[in-house]
Coordinates of all heavy atoms in Angstrom, one line a residue:
M29 N 64.8 -52.7 -31.5 CA 64.4 -52.1 -30.3 C 62.8 -52.1 -30.2 O 62.1 -51.8 -31.1 CB 64.8 -50.6 -30.3 CG 64.6 -49.9 -29.0 SD 65.2 -48.2 -29.0 CE 63.9 -47.4 -29.9
S30 N 62.3 -52.6 -29.0 CA 60.9 -52.6 -28.9 C 60.3 -51.2 -28.6 O 61.0 -50.4 -28.0 CB 60.5 -53.6 -27.8 OG 61.0 -53.2 -26.6
E31 N 59.1 -51.0 -29.0 CA 58.4 -49.7 -28.7 C 57.9 -49.7 -27.3 O 57.6 -50.7 -26.7 CB 57.3 -49.5 -29.7 CG 57.7 -49.3 -31.1 CD 56.5 -49.2 -32.0 OE1 55.4 -48.8 -31.5 OE2 56.6 -49.5 -33.2
V32 N 58.0 -48.5 -26.7 CA 57.5 -48.4 -25.4 C 56.3 -47.4 -25.4 O 56.4 -46.3 -26.0 CB 58.6 -47.8 -24.4 CG1 58.1 -47.6 -23.0 CG2 59.8 -48.7 -24.5
K33 N 55.2 -47.7 -24.8 CA 54.0 -46.9 -24.8 C 53.9 -46.3 -23.5 O 53.8 -47.0 -22.5 CB 52.8 -47.6 -25.2 CG 52.8 -48.3 -26.6 CD 52.2 -47.4 -27.6 CE 52.1 -48.2 -29.0 NZ 52.0 -47.3 -30.1
F34 N 53.8 -44.9 -23.4 CA 53.6 -44.3 -22.1 C 52.2 -43.5 -22.3 O 52.1 -42.7 -23.1 CB 54.7 -43.2 -21.8 CG 56.0 -43.9 -21.7 CD1 57.0 -43.6 -22.7 CD2 56.3 -44.6 -20.7 CE1 58.2 -44.2 -22.6 CE2 57.6 -45.2 -20.5 CZ 58.5 -45.0 -21.5
R35 N 51.3 -43.9 -21.5 CA 50.0 -43.3 -21.7 C 49.3 -42.7 -20.4 O 48.3 -42.1 -20.4 CB 49.0 -44.3 -22.3 CG 49.3 -44.7 -23.7 CD 49.1 -43.5 -24.6 NE 49.3 -43.8 -26.0 CZ 49.8 -43.0 -26.9 NH1 50.0 -41.7 -26.6 NH2 50.0 -43.4 -28.1
G36 N 50.0 -42.9 -19.3 CA 49.3 -42.5 -18.0 C 50.3 -41.7 -17.2 O 51.5 -41.8 -17.3
A37 N 49.7 -40.9 -16.3 CA 50.5 -40.1 -15.4 C 51.4 -40.9 -14.5 O 52.5 -40.5 -14.1 CB 49.6 -39.2 -14.5
H38 N 51.0 -42.2 -14.2 CA 51.8 -43.0 -13.4 C 53.2 -43.4 -14.0 O 54.1 -43.8 -13.4 CB 51.1 -44.3 -13.1 CG 50.7 -45.1 -14.3 ND1 49.6 -44.8 -15.0 CD2 51.3 -46.1 -14.9 CE1 49.5 -45.6 -16.1 NE2 50.5 -46.4 -16.0
D39 N 53.3 -43.2 -15.3 CA 54.5 -43.4 -16.0 C 55.5 -42.3 -15.9 O 56.7 -42.4 -16.2 CB 54.3 -43.6 -17.5 CG 53.8 -45.0 -17.8 OD1 54.1 -45.9 -17.1 OD2 53.1 -45.1 -18.8
L40 N 55.1 -41.2 -15.3 CA 55.9 -40.0 -15.3 C 57.0 -40.1 -14.2 O 56.6 -40.5 -13.0 CB 55.1 -38.7 -15.0 CG 54.4 -38.1 -16.1 CD1 53.4 -37.1 -15.6 CD2 55.3 -37.5 -17.2
P41 N 58.2 -39.8 -14.4 CA 59.2 -39.7 -13.4 C 58.9 -38.5 -12.5 O 58.3 -37.5 -13.0 CB 60.5 -39.6 -14.1 CG 60.2 -39.0 -15.4 CD 58.8 -39.5 -15.7
P42 N 59.4 -38.5 -11.2 CA 59.0 -37.3 -10.4 C 59.5 -36.0 -10.9 O 58.8 -35.0 -10.7 CB 59.8 -37.7 -9.1 CG 60.0 -39.1 -9.1 CD 60.1 -39.5 -10.6
C43 N 60.6 -35.9 -11.7 CA 61.1 -34.7 -12.2 C 60.1 -34.1 -13.2 O 60.3 -32.9 -13.6 CB 62.5 -34.8 -12.8 SG 62.5 -35.9 -14.2
S44 N 59.2 -34.8 -13.7 CA 58.3 -34.3 -14.8 C 56.9 -33.9 -14.3 O 56.0 -33.7 -15.1 CB 58.2 -35.4 -15.9 OG 59.4 -35.6 -16.6
I45 N 56.8 -33.8 -13.0 CA 55.5 -33.3 -12.5 C 55.3 -31.9 -13.2 O 56.2 -31.1 -13.2 CB 55.5 -33.2 -11.0 CG1 55.5 -34.6 -10.5 CG2 54.3 -32.4 -10.5 CD1 55.7 -34.7 -9.0
S46 N 54.1 -31.6 -13.6 CA 53.8 -30.5 -14.4 C 54.3 -29.2 -13.8 O 54.1 -28.9 -12.6 CB 52.3 -30.3 -14.7 OG 52.1 -29.2 -15.4
V47 N 55.1 -28.4 -14.6 CA 55.5 -27.1 -14.1 C 55.0 -26.0 -15.0 O 55.6 -24.9 -15.1 CB 57.1 -27.0 -14.0 CG1 57.6 -27.9 -12.9 CG2 57.7 -27.5 -15.4
T48 N 53.8 -26.2 -15.6 CA 53.2 -25.2 -16.4 C 52.5 -24.2 -15.5 O 51.4 -24.5 -15.1 CB 52.3 -25.8 -17.5 OG1 51.4 -26.7 -16.8 CG2 53.1 -26.6 -18.5
H49 N 53.1 -23.1 -15.2 CA 52.6 -22.1 -14.3 C 53.1 -20.8 -14.9 O 54.1 -20.7 -15.6 CB 53.2 -22.4 -12.9 CG 52.8 -21.4 -11.9 ND1 53.4 -20.2 -11.7 CD2 51.7 -21.5 -11.0 CE1 52.8 -19.6 -10.7 NE2 51.8 -20.3 -10.3
E50 N 52.4 -19.7 -14.5 CA 52.8 -18.4 -15.0 C 54.2 -18.1 -14.8 O 54.9 -17.5 -15.6 CB 51.9 -17.3 -14.3 CG 52.0 -15.9 -14.8 CD 51.5 -15.8 -16.2 OE1 50.6 -16.5 -16.6 OE2 52.1 -14.9 -16.9
L51 N 54.8 -18.6 -13.7 CA 56.2 -18.3 -13.3 C 57.2 -19.1 -14.2 O 58.4 -18.8 -14.2 CB 56.5 -18.6 -11.9 CG 55.8 -17.7 -10.9 CD1 56.0 -18.2 -9.4 CD2 56.3 -16.3 -11.0
T52 N 56.7 -20.1 -14.8 CA 57.6 -21.0 -15.6 C 57.4 -20.8 -17.1 O 57.8 -21.6 -17.9 CB 57.4 -22.5 -15.2 OG1 56.0 -22.9 -15.5 CG2 57.7 -22.7 -13.8
K53 N 56.7 -19.8 -17.5 CA 56.6 -19.5 -19.0 C 57.9 -19.2 -19.5 O 58.6 -18.2 -19.1 CB 55.6 -18.4 -19.2 CG 54.1 -18.8 -19.2 CD 53.2 -17.8 -19.8 CE 51.8 -18.4 -19.9 NZ 50.9 -17.4 -20.4
T54 N 58.4 -20.0 -20.5 CA 59.7 -19.8 -21.0 C 59.7 -19.5 -22.5 O 60.8 -19.2 -23.1 CB 60.6 -21.1 -20.8 OG1 59.8 -22.2 -21.4 CG2 60.8 -21.3 -19.3
G55 N 58.5 -19.5 -23.1 CA 58.4 -19.3 -24.5 C 59.0 -18.0 -25.1 O 59.5 -18.0 -26.2
N56 N 59.1 -17.0 -24.2 CA 59.5 -15.7 -24.8 C 61.0 -15.5 -24.7 O 61.6 -14.5 -25.2 CB 58.8 -14.5 -24.1 CG 59.1 -14.5 -22.6 OD1 59.7 -15.4 -22.0 ND2 58.6 -13.5 -21.9
W57 N 61.8 -16.5 -24.1 CA 63.2 -16.4 -24.2 C 63.9 -17.6 -24.9 O 65.1 -17.7 -24.9 CB 63.9 -16.1 -22.8 CG 63.5 -17.1 -21.7 CD1 62.7 -16.8 -20.7 CD2 64.1 -18.4 -21.5 NE1 62.7 -17.9 -19.8 CE2 63.5 -18.9 -20.3 CE3 65.0 -19.2 -22.1 CZ2 63.8 -20.1 -19.7 CZ3 65.3 -20.4 -21.6 CH2 64.7 -20.9 -20.4
R58 N 63.1 -18.4 -25.4 CA 63.6 -19.6 -26.1 C 64.4 -19.2 -27.4 O 64.0 -18.3 -28.0 CB 62.3 -20.4 -26.5 CG 62.6 -21.8 -27.0 CD 61.3 -22.5 -27.4 NE 60.5 -21.7 -28.3 CZ 59.3 -21.3 -28.1 NH1 58.6 -21.6 -27.0 NH2 58.7 -20.6 -29.0
N59 N 65.4 -20.0 -27.7 CA 66.3 -19.7 -28.9 C 65.9 -20.6 -30.0 O 66.3 -20.4 -31.2 CB 67.7 -19.9 -28.5 CG 68.3 -18.7 -27.8 OD1 67.8 -17.6 -27.9 ND2 69.3 -19.0 -26.9
A60 N 65.3 -21.7 -29.7 CA 64.9 -22.7 -30.8 C 63.6 -23.4 -30.4 O 63.3 -23.6 -29.2 CB 66.0 -23.7 -31.0
K61 N 62.9 -23.8 -31.4 CA 61.6 -24.5 -31.2 C 61.6 -25.8 -31.8 O 62.1 -26.0 -32.9 CB 60.4 -23.6 -31.6 CG 60.3 -23.5 -33.1 CD 59.1 -22.7 -33.5 CE 59.1 -22.5 -35.0 NZ 58.0 -21.6 -35.4
P62 N 60.9 -26.8 -31.2 CA 60.7 -28.1 -31.9 C 59.7 -28.0 -33.0 O 58.6 -27.4 -32.8 CB 60.2 -29.0 -30.7 CG 59.7 -28.1 -29.7 CD 60.3 -26.7 -29.9
V63 N 60.0 -28.6 -34.1 CA 59.1 -28.8 -35.2 C 58.8 -30.2 -35.4 O 59.8 -31.1 -35.5 CB 59.8 -28.2 -36.5 CG1 58.8 -28.4 -37.7 CG2 60.1 -26.7 -36.3
F64 N 57.6 -30.6 -35.4 CA 57.1 -32.0 -35.4 C 56.9 -32.5 -36.9 O 56.2 -31.8 -37.6 CB 55.8 -32.0 -34.6 CG 55.2 -33.4 -34.5 CD1 55.9 -34.5 -34.2 CD2 53.8 -33.6 -34.7 CE1 55.3 -35.8 -34.1 CE2 53.2 -34.8 -34.7 CZ 54.0 -35.9 -34.3
H65 N 57.4 -33.7 -37.2 CA 57.1 -34.3 -38.5 C 56.2 -35.5 -38.2 O 56.7 -36.6 -37.9 CB 58.4 -34.7 -39.1 CG 59.3 -33.6 -39.4 ND1 59.1 -32.7 -40.5 CD2 60.4 -33.0 -38.8 CE1 60.0 -31.8 -40.6 NE2 60.8 -31.9 -39.5
K66 N 54.9 -35.3 -38.3 CA 54.0 -36.3 -37.9 C 54.1 -37.6 -38.7 O 53.9 -38.7 -38.2 CB 52.6 -35.7 -38.2 CG 51.4 -36.6 -37.8 CD 50.1 -35.9 -38.1 CE 48.9 -36.7 -37.8 NZ 47.7 -36.0 -38.1
E67 N 54.6 -37.5 -40.0 CA 54.7 -38.7 -40.8 C 55.8 -39.7 -40.3 O 55.7 -40.9 -40.6 CB 54.9 -38.3 -42.3 CG 56.3 -37.8 -42.6 CD 56.5 -36.3 -42.2 OE1 55.6 -35.7 -41.6 OE2 57.6 -35.8 -42.4
R68 N 56.7 -39.2 -39.5 CA 57.7 -40.1 -38.9 C 57.4 -40.6 -37.5 O 58.0 -41.5 -37.0 CB 59.0 -39.3 -38.8 CG 59.6 -38.8 -40.1 CD 60.9 -38.0 -39.8 NE 61.2 -37.1 -40.9 CZ 62.0 -36.1 -40.8 NH1 62.7 -35.9 -39.7 NH2 62.3 -35.3 -41.9
C69 N 56.4 -40.1 -36.9 CA 56.1 -40.4 -35.5 C 55.4 -41.8 -35.4 O 54.5 -42.2 -36.1 CB 55.1 -39.3 -35.0 SG 54.6 -39.6 -33.3
I70 N 55.9 -42.6 -34.4 CA 55.4 -43.9 -34.1 C 54.5 -43.9 -32.8 O 54.2 -44.9 -32.3 CB 56.5 -45.0 -34.0 CG1 57.5 -44.6 -33.0 CG2 57.1 -45.2 -35.4 CD1 58.5 -45.7 -32.6
Q71 N 54.2 -42.7 -32.3 CA 53.4 -42.5 -31.1 C 53.9 -43.3 -29.9 O 53.1 -43.8 -29.1 CB 52.0 -42.9 -31.4 CG 51.4 -42.1 -32.6 CD 50.2 -42.8 -33.2 OE1 50.3 -43.8 -33.9 NE2 49.0 -42.3 -32.9
C72 N 55.2 -43.2 -29.7 CA 55.8 -44.0 -28.6 C 55.7 -43.2 -27.2 O 55.7 -43.8 -26.2 CB 57.2 -44.3 -28.8 SG 58.3 -42.9 -28.9
G73 N 55.5 -41.9 -27.3 CA 55.4 -41.1 -26.1 C 56.7 -40.7 -25.4 O 56.6 -40.1 -24.3
I74 N 57.8 -41.1 -26.0 CA 59.1 -40.8 -25.3 C 59.3 -39.3 -25.1 O 59.7 -38.8 -24.1 CB 60.2 -41.4 -26.1 CG1 60.2 -43.0 -25.9 CG2 61.6 -40.9 -25.6 CD1 61.2 -43.7 -26.7
C75 N 58.9 -38.5 -26.2 CA 59.1 -37.0 -26.1 C 58.3 -36.5 -24.9 O 58.8 -35.6 -24.1 CB 58.6 -36.4 -27.4 SG 57.0 -36.8 -27.9
W76 N 57.1 -37.0 -24.7 CA 56.2 -36.6 -23.6 C 56.8 -36.9 -22.3 O 56.8 -36.1 -21.4 CB 54.9 -37.3 -23.8 CG 53.9 -37.2 -22.6 CD1 53.2 -36.1 -22.3 CD2 53.7 -38.2 -21.7 NE1 52.5 -36.4 -21.2 CE2 52.7 -37.7 -20.8 CE3 54.1 -39.5 -21.6 CZ2 52.2 -38.4 -19.7 CZ3 53.6 -40.3 -20.5 CH2 52.7 -39.7 -19.6
K77 N 57.4 -38.1 -22.2 CA 58.0 -38.5 -20.9 C 59.3 -37.7 -20.6 O 59.5 -37.4 -19.4 CB 58.3 -40.0 -21.0 CG 58.8 -40.5 -19.6 CD 58.7 -42.0 -19.5 CE 59.0 -42.4 -18.1 NZ 58.8 -43.8 -17.8
V78 N 60.1 -37.3 -21.5 CA 61.4 -36.8 -21.2 C 61.3 -35.2 -21.1 O 62.3 -34.6 -20.6 CB 62.5 -37.2 -22.2 CG1 62.7 -38.7 -22.2 CG2 62.2 -36.7 -23.6
C79 N 60.3 -34.6 -21.6 CA 60.3 -33.1 -21.6 C 60.4 -32.6 -20.1 O 59.5 -32.9 -19.3 CB 59.0 -32.6 -22.2 SG 58.9 -30.8 -22.1
P80 N 61.4 -31.8 -19.8 CA 61.6 -31.4 -18.4 C 60.6 -30.3 -18.0 O 60.4 -30.0 -16.9 CB 63.0 -30.8 -18.4 CG 63.3 -30.4 -19.8 CD 62.5 -31.4 -20.7
N81 N 59.9 -29.7 -19.0 CA 58.9 -28.7 -18.7 C 57.5 -29.2 -18.8 O 56.5 -28.4 -18.6 CB 59.0 -27.5 -19.7 CG 60.1 -26.5 -19.2 OD1 61.0 -26.9 -18.5 ND2 60.0 -25.3 -19.5
A82 N 57.3 -30.5 -19.1 CA 56.0 -31.1 -19.2 C 55.1 -30.3 -20.1 O 53.9 -30.1 -19.8 CB 55.4 -31.2 -17.8
C83 N 55.6 -29.8 -21.2 CA 54.8 -29.0 -22.1 C 54.4 -29.7 -23.3 O 53.9 -29.1 -24.3 CB 55.6 -27.7 -22.5 SG 57.1 -27.9 -23.4
I84 N 54.6 -31.0 -23.3 CA 54.1 -31.9 -24.4 C 52.9 -32.6 -23.9 O 52.9 -33.3 -22.9 CB 55.1 -32.9 -24.9 CG1 56.4 -32.1 -25.5 CG2 54.6 -33.8 -26.0 CD1 57.5 -33.0 -25.9
K85 N 51.8 -32.6 -24.7 CA 50.6 -33.3 -24.3 C 50.4 -34.5 -25.3 O 50.8 -34.3 -26.5 CB 49.3 -32.5 -24.4 CG 49.3 -31.4 -23.4 CD 48.0 -30.6 -23.6 CE 48.0 -29.3 -22.7 NZ 47.2 -28.3 -23.2
L86 N 49.9 -35.6 -24.8 CA 49.7 -36.7 -25.7 C 48.3 -36.9 -26.0 O 47.4 -37.2 -25.2 CB 50.2 -38.0 -25.1 CG 51.7 -38.4 -25.2 CD1 51.9 -39.8 -24.7 CD2 52.2 -38.3 -26.7
G87 N 47.9 -36.7 -27.3 CA 46.6 -37.1 -27.8 C 46.9 -38.3 -28.7 O 47.7 -39.2 -28.3
E88 N 46.3 -38.3 -29.8 CA 46.7 -39.3 -30.8 C 48.2 -39.2 -31.2 O 48.9 -40.1 -31.3 CB 45.8 -39.2 -32.1 CG 46.0 -40.4 -33.0 CD 45.2 -40.2 -34.3 OE1 44.4 -39.3 -34.4 OE2 45.3 -41.1 -35.2
Y89 N 48.6 -37.9 -31.3 CA 50.0 -37.5 -31.5 C 50.4 -36.5 -30.4 O 49.5 -35.9 -29.9 CB 50.2 -37.0 -32.9 CG 50.0 -38.0 -34.0 CD1 48.8 -38.2 -34.6 CD2 51.1 -38.7 -34.4 CE1 48.7 -39.2 -35.6 CE2 51.0 -39.7 -35.4 CZ 49.8 -39.9 -36.0 OH 49.7 -40.9 -37.0
P90 N 51.7 -36.3 -30.3 CA 52.1 -35.3 -29.3 C 51.7 -33.9 -29.8 O 51.7 -33.6 -31.0 CB 53.6 -35.5 -29.2 CG 54.0 -36.3 -30.4 CD 52.8 -37.1 -30.8
E91 N 51.5 -33.0 -28.8 CA 51.2 -31.6 -29.1 C 52.0 -30.8 -28.1 O 52.2 -31.1 -27.0 CB 49.7 -31.3 -28.9 CG 48.8 -31.9 -29.9 CD 47.3 -31.7 -29.6 OE1 47.0 -30.7 -28.9 OE2 46.5 -32.5 -30.0
W92 N 52.5 -29.7 -28.6 CA 53.4 -28.8 -27.8 C 52.7 -27.6 -27.4 O 52.0 -26.9 -28.1 CB 54.6 -28.4 -28.7 CG 55.7 -29.5 -28.7 CD1 56.9 -29.5 -28.1 CD2 55.7 -30.7 -29.5 NE1 57.6 -30.6 -28.4 CE2 56.9 -31.4 -29.3 CE3 54.8 -31.2 -30.4 CZ2 57.2 -32.6 -29.9 CZ3 55.1 -32.5 -31.0 CH2 56.3 -33.1 -30.7
D93 N 52.9 -27.2 -26.1 CA 52.5 -25.9 -25.6 C 53.7 -25.0 -25.6 O 54.6 -25.1 -24.7 CB 51.9 -26.0 -24.2 CG 51.3 -24.7 -23.7 OD1 51.7 -23.7 -24.2 OD2 50.5 -24.8 -22.7
M94 N 53.8 -24.2 -26.6 CA 55.0 -23.4 -26.9 C 55.2 -22.3 -25.8 O 56.3 -21.7 -25.7 CB 55.0 -22.8 -28.3 CG 55.0 -23.9 -29.4 SD 56.3 -25.2 -29.1 CE 57.7 -24.3 -29.7
D95 N 54.2 -22.0 -25.1 CA 54.3 -21.0 -24.0 C 55.3 -21.5 -22.9 O 56.0 -20.7 -22.2 CB 53.0 -20.7 -23.3 CG 52.1 -19.7 -24.0 OD1 52.6 -19.1 -25.0 OD2 50.9 -19.6 -23.7
Y96 N 55.4 -22.8 -22.8 CA 56.3 -23.4 -21.8 C 57.5 -24.1 -22.3 O 58.3 -24.6 -21.5 CB 55.4 -24.3 -20.9 CG 54.3 -23.6 -20.2 CD1 53.0 -23.5 -20.7 CD2 54.6 -22.9 -19.0 CE1 52.0 -22.8 -20.1 CE2 53.6 -22.1 -18.4 CZ 52.3 -22.1 -18.9 OH 51.3 -21.4 -18.3
C97 N 57.6 -24.3 -23.6 CA 58.8 -24.9 -24.1 C 60.0 -24.0 -24.0 O 59.9 -22.8 -24.3 CB 58.6 -25.3 -25.6 SG 60.0 -25.8 -26.4
K98 N 61.1 -24.5 -23.5 CA 62.3 -23.7 -23.3 C 63.4 -23.9 -24.4 O 64.5 -23.4 -24.3 CB 62.9 -23.8 -21.9 CG 63.4 -25.2 -21.6 CD 63.8 -25.3 -20.1 CE 64.2 -26.7 -19.7 NZ 64.5 -26.8 -18.3
G99 N 63.0 -24.8 -25.3 CA 64.0 -25.1 -26.4 C 65.2 -25.9 -26.1 O 66.2 -25.8 -26.8
C100 N 65.1 -26.7 -25.1 CA 66.2 -27.5 -24.7 C 66.6 -28.6 -25.6 O 67.7 -29.1 -25.5 CB 66.0 -28.1 -23.3 SG 64.7 -29.3 -23.2
A101 N 65.7 -29.0 -26.5 CA 66.0 -30.1 -27.5 C 66.0 -31.5 -27.0 O 66.4 -32.4 -27.7 CB 67.2 -29.8 -28.3
V102 N 65.7 -31.7 -25.7 CA 65.7 -33.1 -25.2 C 64.7 -34.0 -26.0 O 65.0 -35.1 -26.3 CB 65.3 -33.1 -23.7 CG1 65.1 -34.5 -23.2 CG2 66.4 -32.4 -22.9
C103 N 63.5 -33.4 -26.3 CA 62.6 -34.2 -27.0 C 63.1 -34.6 -28.4 O 63.0 -35.8 -28.8 CB 61.2 -33.5 -27.2 SG 61.4 -31.8 -27.9
A104 N 63.8 -33.7 -29.0 CA 64.3 -34.0 -30.4 C 65.5 -35.0 -30.3 O 65.6 -35.9 -31.1 CB 64.8 -32.7 -31.0
E105 N 66.3 -34.9 -29.2 CA 67.4 -35.8 -29.1 C 66.9 -37.2 -28.8 O 67.5 -38.2 -29.2 CB 68.3 -35.3 -27.9 CG 69.1 -34.1 -28.2 CD 70.2 -34.4 -29.3 OE1 70.8 -35.5 -29.3 OE2 70.4 -33.5 -30.1
E106 N 65.9 -37.3 -28.0 CA 65.4 -38.7 -27.5 C 64.4 -39.3 -28.5 O 64.1 -40.5 -28.4 CB 64.8 -38.5 -26.1 CG 65.8 -38.1 -25.1 CD 66.9 -39.1 -24.9 OE1 66.7 -40.3 -25.1 OE2 68.1 -38.6 -24.7
C107 N 63.8 -38.6 -29.4 CA 62.9 -39.2 -30.4 C 63.6 -40.3 -31.2 O 64.6 -40.0 -31.9 CB 62.3 -38.1 -31.3 SG 61.2 -38.9 -32.5
P108 N 63.1 -41.5 -31.2 CA 63.8 -42.6 -31.9 C 63.6 -42.5 -33.4 O 64.2 -43.3 -34.1 CB 63.1 -43.9 -31.3 CG 61.7 -43.4 -30.9 CD 61.9 -42.0 -30.4
K109 N 62.7 -41.7 -33.9 CA 62.4 -41.6 -35.3 C 62.8 -40.3 -35.9 O 62.4 -40.0 -37.1 CB 60.9 -41.9 -35.5 CG 60.5 -43.4 -35.2 CD 61.2 -44.3 -36.2 CE 60.9 -45.8 -35.9 NZ 61.6 -46.7 -36.8
D110 N 63.5 -39.5 -35.2 CA 63.9 -38.1 -35.7 C 62.6 -37.4 -36.2 O 62.7 -36.7 -37.3 CB 64.9 -38.2 -36.9 CG 66.3 -38.7 -36.3 OD1 66.6 -38.4 -35.2 OD2 67.0 -39.4 -37.1
A111 N 61.6 -37.5 -35.5 CA 60.3 -36.8 -35.9 C 60.2 -35.4 -35.3 O 59.3 -34.7 -35.6 CB 59.1 -37.6 -35.4
I112 N 61.3 -35.0 -34.6 CA 61.3 -33.6 -34.0 C 62.6 -33.0 -34.4 O 63.7 -33.5 -34.2 CB 61.2 -33.7 -32.5 CG1 59.9 -34.5 -32.0 CG2 61.1 -32.2 -31.9 CD1 59.9 -34.9 -30.6
E113 N 62.5 -31.8 -35.0 CA 63.7 -31.1 -35.4 C 63.7 -29.8 -34.7 O 62.6 -29.2 -34.5 CB 63.6 -30.8 -36.9 CG 64.3 -31.7 -37.8 CD 64.3 -31.3 -39.3 OE1 63.2 -31.3 -39.9 OE2 65.3 -30.8 -39.7
M114 N 64.8 -29.3 -34.3 CA 64.9 -28.0 -33.7 C 65.1 -26.9 -34.7 O 66.0 -27.0 -35.6 CB 66.0 -27.9 -32.6 CG 65.8 -28.9 -31.5 SD 64.2 -28.8 -30.6 CE 64.4 -27.2 -29.8
E115 N 64.3 -25.8 -34.6 CA 64.4 -24.7 -35.6 C 64.9 -23.5 -34.8 O 64.3 -23.1 -33.8 CB 63.0 -24.5 -36.2 CG 63.0 -23.4 -37.3 CD 61.7 -23.2 -37.9 OE1 61.2 -24.1 -38.7 OE2 61.0 -22.2 -37.6
D116 N 65.9 -22.8 -35.4 CA 66.5 -21.6 -34.8 C 65.4 -20.5 -34.8 O 64.8 -20.2 -35.8 CB 67.7 -21.2 -35.6 CG 68.6 -20.3 -34.8 OD1 68.1 -19.6 -33.9 OD2 69.8 -20.2 -35.2
E117 N 65.2 -19.9 -33.6 CA 64.3 -18.8 -33.5 C 65.0 -17.5 -33.2 O 64.3 -16.5 -33.1 CB 63.3 -19.0 -32.4 CG 62.3 -20.1 -32.6 CD 61.2 -20.2 -31.5 OE1 61.6 -20.5 -30.4 OE2 60.1 -19.9 -31.8
R118 N 66.3 -17.5 -33.2 CA 67.0 -16.2 -32.9 C 66.8 -15.2 -34.0 O 66.8 -15.6 -35.2 CB 68.5 -16.5 -32.6 CG 68.8 -17.2 -31.4 CD 70.2 -17.6 -31.3 NE 70.5 -18.6 -32.3 CZ 71.8 -19.1 -32.6 NH1 72.8 -18.7 -31.9 NH2 71.9 -20.0 -33.5
V119 N 66.7 -14.0 -33.6 CA 66.5 -12.9 -34.5 C 67.9 -12.3 -34.8 O 68.5 -11.8 -33.8 CB 65.5 -11.8 -34.0 CG1 65.4 -10.7 -35.0 CG2 64.2 -12.5 -33.8
M120 N 68.4 -12.3 -36.0 CA 69.7 -11.8 -36.3 C 69.5 -10.3 -36.6 O 68.7 -9.9 -37.4 CB 70.3 -12.5 -37.5 CG 70.5 -14.0 -37.3 SD 71.6 -14.3 -35.9 CE 71.4 -16.1 -35.8
I121 N 70.3 -9.5 -36.0 CA 70.3 -8.0 -36.3 C 71.7 -7.5 -36.6 O 72.7 -8.2 -36.5 CB 69.8 -7.2 -35.1 CG1 70.4 -7.7 -33.7 CG2 68.3 -7.2 -35.0 CD1 69.9 -6.9 -32.5
Ligands
LIG21 S1 62.5 -28.5 -26.5 FE1 62.7 -29.1 -24.3 S2 61.1 -27.9 -23.3 FE2 60.6 -27.8 -25.5 S3 59.2 -29.5 -25.8 FE3 61.3 -30.3 -26.2 S4 62.0 -31.2 -24.3 FE4 60.2 -29.9 -23.8
LIG22 S1 57.6 -37.5 -31.8 FE1 59.1 -39.1 -31.6 S2 59.3 -39.5 -29.4 FE2 57.4 -38.3 -29.7 S3 55.8 -39.9 -29.8 FE3 56.5 -39.4 -31.9 S4 58.1 -40.9 -32.4 FE4 57.8 -40.9 -30.1

């Protein structure tokens, strides 16, 4: 499989227009959070492109804004290198 590099806003599908706004903060009701394994990452940008909340930024490597991540796991599912794992954040009582 060839690598795909996404580096510009023109690559974004319409559904991924940024929704990082006070009204869309989802970090306080998330059940699971993505944990990044940098050593596996090939910097393809797929996680950035598929995140429905546009809460992943691309620098040299992806970075997550956890205030807006809703824990949907799309990034983890779509990462071709399993560089993102979902970690349970539920508090057991
Ligand atoms: S878990 Fe969902 S909302 Fe959070 S960064 Fe991944 S794709 Fe985006
Ligand atoms: S975390 Fe996975 S999907 Fe995201 S840039 Fe790295 S290899 Fe690609």
Side-chain angles (χ1 to χ4, degrees):
M29 186 179 78
S30 62
E31 290 179 24
V32 182
K33 301 265 186 198
F34 301 109
R35 290 294 182 210
H38 59 278
D39 282 332
L40 283 169
C43 64
S44 291
I45 291 170
S46 178
V47 287
T48 51
H49 180 275
E50 189 64 31
L51 292 173
T52 61
K53 278 195 174 179
T54 55
N56 61 353
W57 55 256
R58 191 181 55 236
N59 284 330
K61 68 177 178 185
V63 176
F64 178 50
H65 298 280
K66 185 177 175 181
E67 72 281 2
R68 301 180 198 163
C69 178
I70 56 170
Q71 301 163 282
C72 65
I74 290 174
C75 54
W76 169 75
K77 185 161 188 176
V78 298
C79 174
N81 276 28
C83 63
I84 300 174
K85 291 180 191 155
L86 273 190
E88 188 180 356
Y89 288 93
E91 293 175 22
W92 279 256
D93 185 338
M94 299 309 284
D95 279 348
Y96 297 97
C97 171
K98 61 185 175 186
C100 66
V102 170
C103 57
E105 287 293 323
E106 296 301 322
C107 174
K109 292 294 180 183
D110 292 330
I112 306 165
E113 267 185 287
M114 297 306 291
E115 182 178 289
D116 197 337
E117 288 187 296
R118 289 172 294 176
V119 178
M120 300 301 173
I121 43 177

